[in-house]
């Protein structure tokens, strides 16, 4: 990966291992306040974006969520055969309780939980109708490898949907960086009551995240068809990418 020394271990293609380990511990520290900070910093749009992604699955589908975190998306996806993957044991521990409880209340079987990174998914080829990544793609160590692994586990004709930070171009990215380094820091400080809250470090994943065009190109190179990637309106704070694995 290019540009490592200049960017402190981060670039649009990924994050080096040392920095990623620090990032993972910051993500784990964010668990108690994760949903509240997200809701405040996105004006409540996070739940709209999650619903938008959920609507890509229909009942009975086999669905994988890559980077499920504490289960904020997974708990509300109904009537699917669900697998939740995350590298963090702490995240999976919280997700398992939360997601299984919601599923049990709906009379559904528990989900499956897999501790792994997107770049090395310990699951069979051609397994899933849908793979969803919400706010985890920007944390991948190696984005191309993650996209390749997701492609491998998708069934032919299956679809990947990613929802992550919105960055239409570098100018839009600059506005996002200002937002992340000012308003989001104040919100996180207010919610956590801590000076050294984890969002201080988490802002880096936004700063070095690539543009929509960068990741559309990467998805096409990996082999996804009918690739789309655009800002979600009205605020343009998030982007949604979609791509299909060819039928043959
Ligand atoms: C910000 S949370 C997202 C949680 C959830 N998907 C949501 O909708 O809010 C990002 C998650 O991505 C996970 N993650 C980080 N690197 C990853 C990787 N290489 N492969 C898969 N997941 C990763 C983190 O452990 C974390 O739980």
């Amino acid at each position: 990966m290019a540009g490592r020394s200049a960017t402190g271990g981060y670039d649009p293609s990924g994050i080096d291992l040392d920095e990623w380990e620090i990032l993972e511990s910051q993500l784990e520290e964010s668990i108690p306040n994760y949903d509240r900070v997200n809701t405040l910093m996105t004006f409540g749009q996070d739940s709209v974006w999650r619903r938008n992604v959920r609507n890509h699955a229909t009942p009975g589908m086999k669905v994988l969520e890559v980077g499920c975190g504490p289960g904020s998306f997974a708990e509300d996806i109904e009537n699917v055969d669900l697998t939740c993957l995350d590298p963090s044991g702490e995240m999976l521990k919280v997700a398992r309780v939360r997601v299984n409880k919601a599923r049990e209340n709906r009379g559904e079987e528990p989900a499956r939980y897999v501790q792994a990174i997107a770049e090395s998914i310990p699951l069979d080829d051609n397994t899933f109708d849908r793979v969803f990544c919400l706010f985890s793609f920007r944390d991948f160590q190696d984005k191309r490898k993650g996209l390749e692994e997701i492609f491998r586990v998708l069934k032919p004709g299956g679809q990947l949907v990613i929802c992550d930070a919105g960055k239409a171009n570098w100018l839009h990215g600059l506005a996002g960086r200002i937002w992340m380094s000012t308003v989001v820091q104040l919100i996180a400080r207010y919610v956590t009551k801590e000076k050294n809250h984890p969002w201080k470090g988490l802002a880096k994943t936004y700063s070095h995240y690539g543009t929509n065009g960068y990741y559309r190109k990467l998805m096409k190179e990996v082999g996804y068809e009918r690739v789309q990637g655009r800002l979600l309106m009205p605020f343009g704070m998030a982007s949604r990418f979609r791509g299909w694995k060819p039928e043959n």
Side-chain angles (χ1 to χ4, degrees), residues 58-88:
T58 54
M61 279 187 166
K62 278 182 84 80
V63 173
L64 170 67
E65 190 195 359
V66 172
C68 66
S72 315
F73 171 79
E75 70 175 343
D76 289 326
I77 180 159
E78 298 185 15
N79 296 316
V80 298
D81 178 339
L82 181 65
T83 303
C84 298
L85 176 146
D86 203 283
S88 158

Side-chain angles (χ1 to χ4, degrees), residues 124-189:
D124 291 340
D125 299 359
N126 307 321
T127 302
F128 295 98
D129 301 288
R130 295 286 180 270
V131 176
F132 297 142
C133 286
L134 294 97
F135 312 106
S136 61
F137 182 58
R138 90 176 92 146
D139 302 331
F140 287 9
Q141 290 167 40
D142 184 330
K143 300 208 172 36
R144 180 185 294 271
K145 227 169 165 188
L147 289 172
E148 285 169 355
E149 274 291 87
I150 291 170
F151 189 86
R152 179 184 66 72
V153 301
L154 272 172
K155 288 180 184 169
Q159 188 189 32
L160 165 65
V161 183
I162 297 172
C163 181
D164 216 302
K167 209 181 252 193
N169 50 49
W170 288 107
L171 191 60
H172 184 231
L174 181 64
R177 282 172 79 158
I178 294 170
W179 179 256
M180 289 296 289
S181 58
T182 55
V183 180
V184 172
Q185 301 303 312
L186 289 173
I187 291 172
R189 173 105 193 243

Side-chain angles (χ1 to χ4, degrees), residues 28 30 54 70 72 116 201 224:
E28 287 175 352
S30 79
R54 260 195 321 272
S72 315
Y224 292 89

Side-chain angles (χ1 to χ4, degrees), residues 210-228:
T211 59
N212 290 348
Y214 182 92
Y215 296 123
R216 282 197 302 265
K217 181 165 176 282
L218 194 57
M219 286 177 74
K220 287 180 197 159
E221 284 169 9
V222 168
Y224 292 89
E225 275 183 346
R226 292 183 279 151
V227 170
Q228 306 163 337

Side-chain angles (χ1 to χ4, degrees), residues 199-214:
W199 279 267
K200 279 198 166 163
L202 295 178
K204 274 196 203 172
T205 57
Y206 181 83
S207 305
H208 299 289
Y209 189 67
T211 59
N212 290 348
Y214 182 92

